Amino acid sequence: AQTIHQWPVAEIKAVGSPLSLGCTIKGKSSPNLYWYWQATGGTLQQLFYSITVGQVESVVQLNLSASRPKDDQFILSTEKLLLSHSGFYLCAWSLRLGGQQNTLYFGAGTRLSVL
Amino acid sequence: GQQVQQSPASLVLQEGENAELQCNFSTSLNSMQWFYQRPGGSLVSLFYNPSGTKHSGRLTSTTVIKERRSSLHISSSQTTDSGTYLCALEPGTGSNRLTFGKGTKFSLIP
């Protein structure tokens, strides 16, 4: 069975501090990986996606970056947090079917508060 | 303009009643996905529905491409159905980018 694990569960950080959020998928080889963000009371937005190791596409510019150092790992980071980065971050995976998206499976999410 | 419009924004029903949630879309569609968002925020996939009708227990999803709409029907609703339901459009352009609706917040009165 496939499992997706996100860490940390929650973070409280100061403006200007660095951030690193992680996501690991087990039990599925070479999945498509995604980062999503939801502001409090807002709509889910796709931030990044990756179809293979070392390759990441940016969808929305939020002064964040993402990397895929291993097939089963996706990292979201920034060197300087902004107040606007607060919200709920979700990692997701889907099957790789000729680049077309299939059903999305989400992690439990990380709730970030920037003060 | 908004590519996916979800309605109603909120819905309050008595336990046992049926619920109908709608998503209307304005762009080409490869598929509509429906999710349940738990109060803690995590999402559970309910349906991947490119067209037609799909069933899962008390849930039914219907996507009608010509009418640019997709619906989620919950029959005999239970208190455990409370939460937010989201639809997400997978565009027909071959893009990997899902566009989510704003969600329907569903509450049950026991």
Side-chain angles (χ1 to χ4, degrees):
Chain A
Q2 303 85 21
T3 60
I4 177 168
H5 174 60
Q6 274 190 253
W7 73 92
V9 172
E11 280 266 45
I12 300 175
K13 303 278 279 186
V15 169
S17 63
L19 175 76
S20 181
L21 305 181
C23 173
T24 300
I25 292 85
K26 297 297 183 188
K28 181 57 65 178
S29 178
S30 302
N32 285 346
L33 297 177
Y34 310 87
W35 278 111
Y36 280 82
W37 172 71
Q38 187 178 35
T40 303
T43 307
L44 263 171
Q45 295 185 66
Q46 191 181 104
L47 300 178
F48 299 94
Y49 72 89
S50 170
I51 63 172
T52 192
V53 174
Q55 178 271 341
V56 176
E57 296 293 332
S58 173
V59 178
V60 174
Q61 292 297 327
L62 279 182
N63 292 309
L64 295 166
S65 60
S67 64
R68 187 170 179 176
K70 301 179 186 178
D71 186 54
D72 63 353
Q73 197 173 74
F74 208 19
I75 307 295
L76 183 71
S77 62
T78 183
E79 294 192 359
K80 282 189 178 181
L81 277 166
L82 307 172
L83 283 173
S84 57
H85 286 139
S86 292
F88 193 56
Y89 289 84
L90 285 159
C91 179
W93 70 270
S94 70
L95 294 172
R96 295 180 63 195
L97 293 175
Q100 289 294 316
Q101 214 165 243
N102 208 320
T103 301
L104 276 183
Y105 299 95
F106 285 86
T110 296
R111 197 161 297 280
L112 174 67
S113 297
V114 182
L115 306 176
Chain B
Q2 234 180 344
Q3 293 182 340
V4 179
Q5 291 184 313
Q6 198 167 345
S7 62
S10 64
L11 182 62
V12 182
L13 294 176
Q14 291 233 320
E15 199 171 3
E17 291 186 308
N18 299 331
E20 187 84 10
L21 285 59
Q22 290 280 351
C23 271
N24 294 299
F25 52 93
S26 56
T27 60
S28 65
L29 176 93
N30 193 50
S31 188
M32 188 68 79
Q33 298 193 34
W34 283 92
F35 298 89
Y36 168 69
Q37 186 166 32
R38 297 188 178 107
S42 63
L43 271 73
V44 176
S45 174
L46 299 175
F47 291 103
Y48 180 92
N49 190 354
S51 68
T53 298
K54 293 179 181 280
H55 301 277
S56 177
R58 293 182 294 105
L59 304 180
T60 301
S61 168
T62 300
T63 297
V64 184
I65 295 175
K66 279 188 178 179
E67 297 177 14
R68 296 187 177 268
R69 63 174 177 86
S70 181
S71 64
L72 178 68
H73 182 87
I74 306 172
S75 63
S76 304
S77 53
Q78 301 172 2
T79 53
T80 51
D81 295 330
S82 295
T84 300
Y85 291 83
L86 300 169
C87 63
L89 180 147
E90 181 184 335
T93 58
S95 164
N96 277 306
R97 185 175 181 176
L98 287 187
T99 300
F100 278 81
K102 292 186 176 181
T104 294
K105 191 168 182 180
F106 185 43
S107 304
L108 271 295
I109 304 169

